[in-house]
Amino acid sequence: MPQAHTTGKATLLFAGLLTLGACTIPVGQTPQPEPGISDEMMAHLSAMAAPYQNVQTVELRPQDGCYWYRHVGPVETTMLPLRTPEGRPICTERGAQAAS
């Protein structure tokens, strides 16, 4: 009977590891910027943004008219507003007016 209990734990552990592995980004895959953002705009965003942000993952959110980037933290990956070194969000004119 103890052998069946050990086999069940091993199966459960293996299933858990497979589930967690499905949450990772494949090795060698680099995030691409949103297709609608031109190279010129990407260069402009790079010049405006604080250096600790990954500008290569930027996308424009239509909900607020602001740019967001993918932040990969030690526990989770989440989208955060792209900000200037002073901490101001980087938005389109429409987004900046809505934020005022």
Side-chain angles (χ1 to χ4, degrees):
M1 190 73 160
Q3 179 123 13
H5 184 66
T6 304
T7 304
K9 280 185 174 182
T11 302
L12 200 60
L13 177 63
F14 182 70
L17 290 174
L18 281 177
T19 302
L20 286 174
C23 297
T24 63
I25 296 175
V27 176
Q29 181 179 352
T30 56
Q32 298 296 316
E34 183 179 316
I37 300 177
S38 68
D39 290 341
E40 181 180 326
M41 186 56 160
M42 288 299 293
H44 185 65
L45 290 172
S46 293
M48 291 177 58
Y52 57 86
Q53 302 166 112
N54 185 356
V55 182
Q56 295 304 313
T57 62
V58 166
E59 63 182 57
L60 178 61
R61 294 251 173 120
Q63 301 93 323
D64 61 6
C66 295
Y67 292 93
W68 292 64
Y69 75 100
R70 184 177 300 121
H71 171 75
V72 179
V75 177
E76 66 182 1
T77 300
T78 187
M79 295 301 287
L80 295 175
L82 189 65
R83 296 188 180 273
T84 65
E86 295 79 28
R88 292 188 309 272
I90 300 175
C91 303
T92 61
E93 286 184 37
R94 183 184 64 81
Q97 291 170 354
S100 300

